[in-house]
Amino acid sequence: MTGFRPRGIAQLPKFWWRTLQSLAQARRAAGIVAVQAKIVDGTYHTLTAWSDLGNMRRFVASGAHLAAMKNFRSLGTGKIFGYAPDEMPDWDAVYELWKLHGREV
């Protein structure tokens, strides 16, 4: 799970452009199991689930997602949290883990 908070309203257009491109890339990526996005308390969250770590790493390091990560700090702040569950994670459970264990990026 990633949670991102844009620095201000001026950053929203670029943020949304990068987000929509990254979500489209994720939805067609090899090994993707699920893609979800929600706004919670002004923080924009994405939750992705992958069949394997290799496909997830290839996604993170390529295309629209890589471009978004290169601009991350100029657009805002956020935290990430990832783990390897035994079954499809529940949004609320992962959100609670993200709040407790999320790492600032």
Side-chain angles (χ1 to χ4, degrees), residues 61-83:
S62 66
H65 187 271
L66 179 61
M69 292 298 91
K70 288 180 178 180
N71 289 300
F72 192 92
R73 289 202 174 119
S74 69
L75 297 177
T77 62
K79 297 190 310 186
I80 60 170
F81 173 73
Y83 71 110

Side-chain angles (χ1 to χ4, degrees), residues 36-47:
Q36 299 177 18
K38 288 186 181 184
I39 303 169
V40 180
D41 296 327
T43 299
Y44 297 82
H45 294 275
T46 56
L47 173 64

